[in-house]
Amino acid sequence: MSQFVHLHLHTDYSMLDGACDVDKLVHRAKELGMPAVAMTDHGNIFGAVHFVNAANKVGIKPIVGCELYVCKKEDHRIERTPPEGDTYNHLLVLAQDDQGYRNLTKITSEASLHGFYYKPRVSKNFLAEHSQGLIGLSGCLKGEVAEFLMEEKYDAARKAAATYTDIFGKENFFLEIQDQGLEQEHRIRPGLLQLERDLGVPLVATNDSHYLCEDDAHAQDVMLCIQTGKSIQDTNRMKFHGTDFFVKSHDEMLRVFPDSPQVLTRTLEIAERCNMKLEKVSNPFPHFDVPPGFTLDSYFEHVSREGFRRRLDALRVLQDQGRLKHSLEEYEKRLAEELRIIQQMKFSGYFLIVWDFIRYAREKSIPVGPGRGSAAGSLVSFAMSITDLDPLQHELLFERFLNPERISMPDIDIDFCMNRRGEVIQYVTQKYGRENVAQIITFGTMAAKAAIKDVGRAMDIPYADVDRIAKMVPATLNIKLAQALTDSPALKLAYESEPQVKQLMDTALRLEGLVRNSGVHATISSFWFRCTRPRTTKS
C-alpha cells in the first residue's frame, strides 16, 4: 500500500482549472496503491456525489474537501458591494465525518449566496462557527500562512497559523508543505519548519494536483486559456510554471521530500480520520399534509380516481365515435396497476406535491404545458392533470417512466410560462420551506466539436482551419473524438498528415468530456426537494 495519499487535488469541477476527470482519477489512485484520495475543488463541492460513487466503485476511500476562498477581513457578508480593498486567501478543508460534510455544505453555500464577488468567499468567523468535523490545511502559496512567509512576516504567519489552530482545534489543523519546483516554495520552507517547531502544528506534504499525468500539463494550460479567453501564445496570462502539478505516486513524492518521509505518511493518518458517508436520503420528499381521514397513499389514490372520473366524459365521447383505441376496462386496469406500483415504490407524496403546484398554477392562470418526456406515459399523471396526454390513446408505456425493477427517482418535466414560473417556485418555497427547495445545477461538458473549437481558439489556430476540422466530425449523437477519427477518413487523413491538426486533436482528446461550465436547469422541473442528482449537458 502506498504511504502517501493526495489531500490537495482539483478535478474538472474546478471549472476550466482542473483537468482531472473524476472516473480516471479514482482509477489512477487505485493503480498507484493509494487507500484513499481527496477531492478539493476551488470554492465548491459540486462533484461530491460523482466522486464518492466513483471512489466507492473502485474500492478506495473518498475524502470530500474544498479549497476555500477565505476573506482577509475578519467578518463580513458581501451582498452587493464588497468592502473596499477586501481580498482573499486559499484554505484547504476536509470533511472528517458526516457533521463535517454538513458544515462544508453550509460554508460553500454561504460563500456562494452571500460571499460571492468574483469568487465564492467566506469569513473566518463563519468558518469558526461551522468548523466541527472539519480538518484544515494551510493551503498553497495563496494560503495566508504562505503569503506572510513570502513577505518575510514571520510573526504574522505565526499569528495566522495560531488563529486557524484555534478555529479547527489543535489536532485538526496542519501546515501544508509543497514542492512543485517553484522558487517561492523553497523560499518559505524554513519558515514552515520553524512554525512546526514553535507551534507544534504538524507539516503534511501535498501536491497541488490539477491534472492526472505529467503529459497532461499542456492540455491543462490550454484549458486555462479557454477559461481566461487568452491565447497560449500570450505571455501575460495565468499560467502554471512547470509540469509537476499532477497526481504523483508515493515514490515521486518521496523524491521531492527524501529527508522528511513523515510529511508523506502523515497524509495516511489524516485519511484514516476521514470517514464521511454520503448516503441517499431514505425519504427525500417534504411532508405533504392530507385531509383528515386520509393517509398519504389513500389520498393519492382518491385524487387519482377523482381525476380519472373527470376524464371519463371525454373518453366516452371517443368510445361512442369509435375512436377510442382501448376499452374503458383496460383504462381501469392500467390505472389500478399504476397506482399499485407508485404506492409500492413510495412515490405517492411525489405525485401529490407535483399535482398540488400544477393545480396552483392553473388556479392562478399561469400557463402550464401538456407534459413531455417519459411522464407522458403515465395514466395517473393524466388522471391527476399533471399531463394532458392520454398515454393509452397514444400507445405510450408506463414502464419508460417508472419500473419497479429499476428503482430510480421519477422525473416529471413540466413547462411553465417563462414570465411567471417564479410564482410557482415561490409558492413551493413558502409551502415546504426554503431549506427543502433548490434549483438543480446543470453542467456543460466539452463535447467533440466544442472541444475542437475551444482548443483551436486557445491555440491561436485560424478559425477557418478549426471550422474545417470540426466539420469533419460525423453528425452522430454523442460521438467521441476517438470514434470520429475512426469513422471519418478525412479527419483521420488530416490528423496523420498535418502536425497542427494532430496537436489540436491530441489536446482536444485530453479535454473532451470535462466539465466546462455550470448553470441552472432551464425548466420548472429544475426545482426539487433536498437531494436529486445534477444534470449534465454537452456543449
Side-chain angles (χ1 to χ4, degrees):
M1 184 179 70
S2 169
Q3 296 301 299
F4 173 75
V5 166
H6 279 279
L7 299 177
H8 189 141
L9 194 149
H10 298 278
T11 72
D12 55 331
Y13 289 95
S14 289
M15 308 290 179
L16 294 179
D17 188 355
C20 243
D21 176 84
V22 168
D23 295 297
K24 292 178 182 177
L25 164 65
V26 296
H27 280 94
R28 178 61 176 160
K30 180 76 171 180
E31 183 181 287
L32 294 174
M34 294 181 179
V37 66
M39 176 198 72
T40 57
D41 287 310
H42 285 302
N44 73 69
I45 51 172
F46 293 159
V49 175
H50 181 186
F51 171 70
V52 169
N53 289 341
N56 288 337
K57 189 174 180 180
V58 301
I60 65 172
K61 180 191 287 188
I63 303 171
V64 175
C66 183
E67 187 167 22
L68 300 174
Y69 299 98
V70 180
C71 301
K72 290 187 177 180
K73 297 200 173 182
E74 285 302 312
D75 190 23
H76 75 270
R77 289 161 66 89
I78 302 169
E79 299 287 356
R80 295 180 182 275
T81 306
E84 185 177 351
D86 187 37
T87 54
Y88 59 83
N89 287 113
H90 291 186
L91 180 75
L92 206 76
V93 292
L94 306 173
Q96 186 173 198
D97 50 29
D98 293 348
Q99 179 63 44
Y101 179 73
R102 285 192 290 271
N103 277 327
L104 186 55
T105 61
K106 290 176 183 177
I107 291 167
T108 53
S109 296
E110 167 72 12
S112 291
L113 292 173
H114 301 116
F116 199 96
Y117 183 71
Y118 292 98
K119 302 291 184 184
R121 304 191 279 187
V122 68
S123 72
K124 288 180 184 176
N125 282 1
F126 192 87
L127 182 62
E129 292 167 3
H130 299 84
S131 62
Q132 185 178 347
L134 293 176
I135 292 175
L137 284 77
S138 61
C140 58
L141 290 174
K142 279 288 291 178
E144 187 175 2
V145 173
E147 198 170 77
F148 280 132
L149 290 177
M150 281 191 291
E151 295 171 356
E152 299 183 353
K153 298 177 179 178
Y154 179 79
D155 289 342
R158 176 173 175 156
K159 181 181 178 182
T163 298
Y164 284 121
T165 301
D166 291 340
I167 288 174
F168 293 102
K170 189 169 179 60
E171 303 299 320
N172 297 324
F173 181 67
F174 298 83
L175 295 168
E176 279 188 67
I177 183 168
Q178 296 184 346
D179 190 346
Q180 281 90 211
L182 303 181
E183 182 272 331
Q184 299 98 315
E185 293 167 337
H186 298 158
R187 182 157 30 113
I188 69 171
R189 185 172 292 188
L192 288 171
L193 294 169
Q194 185 65 39
L195 285 173
E196 183 181 43
R197 289 192 294 269
D198 289 352
L199 297 176
V201 178
L203 283 168
V204 59
T206 64
N207 202 71
D208 193 3
S209 305
H210 282 71
Y211 40 90
L212 201 59
C213 304
E214 188 172 6
D215 55 3
D216 288 327
H218 172 72
Q220 196 261 352
D221 195 31
V222 170
M223 175 183 269
L224 288 177
C225 291
I226 295 171
Q227 178 202 146
T228 56
K230 300 285 187 179
S231 160
I232 202 166
Q233 308 299 333
D234 292 339
T235 54
N236 185 26
R237 64 177 178 86
M238 180 181 176
K239 181 178 175 62
F240 282 61
H241 297 282
T243 59
D244 280 329
F245 298 86
F246 66 98
V247 180
K248 293 179 179 177
S249 67
H250 168 259
D251 290 344
E252 288 168 324
M253 290 298 293
L254 189 59
R255 284 196 288 271
V256 176
F257 299 102
D259 300 323
S260 309
Q262 73 277 7
V263 300
L264 302 182
T265 55
R266 203 164 279 144
T267 63
L268 291 180
E269 298 169 15
I270 294 173
E272 287 171 3
R273 291 173 55 188
C274 295
N275 295 294
M276 182 208 81
K277 302 271 186 206
L278 192 60
E279 298 176 344
K280 288 185 178 180
V281 178
S282 58
N283 178 23
F285 308 118
H287 176 71
F288 184 88
D289 289 323
V290 298
F294 286 100
T295 64
L296 199 64
D297 282 340
S298 66
Y299 187 61
F300 160 65
E301 184 164 350
H302 169 76
V303 171
S304 299
R305 292 196 177 278
E306 285 296 310
F308 182 66
R309 288 191 187 96
R310 288 191 292 271
R311 295 284 192 185
L312 275 175
D313 289 341
L315 294 177
R316 289 193 178 105
V317 170
L318 290 175
Q319 185 182 52
D320 293 342
Q321 295 173 350
R323 294 166 53 202
L324 195 65
K325 295 181 179 179
H326 297 269
S327 67
L328 294 179
E329 289 74 16
E330 289 178 271
Y331 276 85
E332 290 283 357
K333 183 178 178 182
R334 170 82 168 257
L335 182 67
E337 181 64 11
E338 287 192 21
L339 287 171
R340 183 188 66 79
I341 291 174
I342 292 168
Q343 290 170 341
Q344 174 189 322
M345 298 177 76
K346 302 187 185 303
F347 291 145
S348 298
Y350 174 94
F351 277 84
L352 287 171
I353 289 168
V354 176
W355 162 77
D356 176 60
F357 67 68
I358 290 178
R359 176 193 55 76
Y360 169 83
R362 291 199 169 110
E363 286 178 358
K364 298 297 181 181
S365 300
I366 300 172
V368 183
R372 57 185 171 86
S374 60
S378 167
L379 183 60
V380 166
S381 296
F382 179 61
M384 297 176 77
S385 295
I386 291 173
T387 63
D388 277 324
L389 296 169
D390 182 342
L392 275 74
Q393 193 71 353
H394 292 87
E395 304 292 351
L396 301 177
L397 300 175
F398 175 70
E399 289 74 17
R400 284 197 61 221
F401 174 55
L402 280 182
N403 190 329
E405 296 180 4
R406 188 190 71 243
I407 303 297
S408 61
M409 289 286 293
D411 185 9
I412 299 178
D413 290 315
I414 307 157
D415 294 301
F416 287 82
C417 167
M418 61 180 291
N419 294 324
R420 301 187 64 191
R421 66 192 295 269
E423 296 176 42
V424 184
I425 296 176
Q426 184 178 16
Y427 168 74
V428 174
T429 302
Q430 290 175 343
K431 181 161 186 173
Y432 300 103
R434 181 66 186 86
E435 70 281 2
N436 286 323
V437 181
Q439 291 189 278
I440 294 175
I441 194 169
T442 178
F443 298 110
T445 60
M446 292 193 199
K449 290 188 178 183
I452 290 173
K453 291 178 179 179
D454 278 338
V455 170
R457 280 192 297 270
M459 292 177 63
D460 224 8
I461 299 174
Y463 173 79
D465 292 341
V466 175
D467 190 53
R468 173 176 65 90
I469 299 304
K471 287 178 177 176
M472 292 178 184
V473 176
T476 305
L477 184 65
N478 295 333
I479 192 169
K480 304 294 185 185
L481 288 176
Q483 188 62 41
L485 283 168
T486 301
D487 294 351
S488 173
L491 182 61
K492 184 178 181 182
L493 177 62
Y495 177 79
E496 293 174 346
S497 60
E498 301 178 42
Q500 188 179 58
V501 174
K502 185 179 189 307
Q503 187 181 24
L504 167 64
M505 290 296 295
D506 286 344
T507 305
L509 280 161
R510 291 180 184 272
L511 299 181
E512 181 186 23
L514 297 182
V515 176
R516 191 188 192 285
N517 52 50
S518 65
V520 178
H521 196 265
T523 65
I524 197 67
S525 65
S526 67
F527 74 83
W528 195 232
F529 309 95
R530 297 191 190 173
C531 181
T532 58
R533 67 169 181 258
R535 308 271 181 115
T536 301
T537 57
K538 292 179 170 58
S539 300

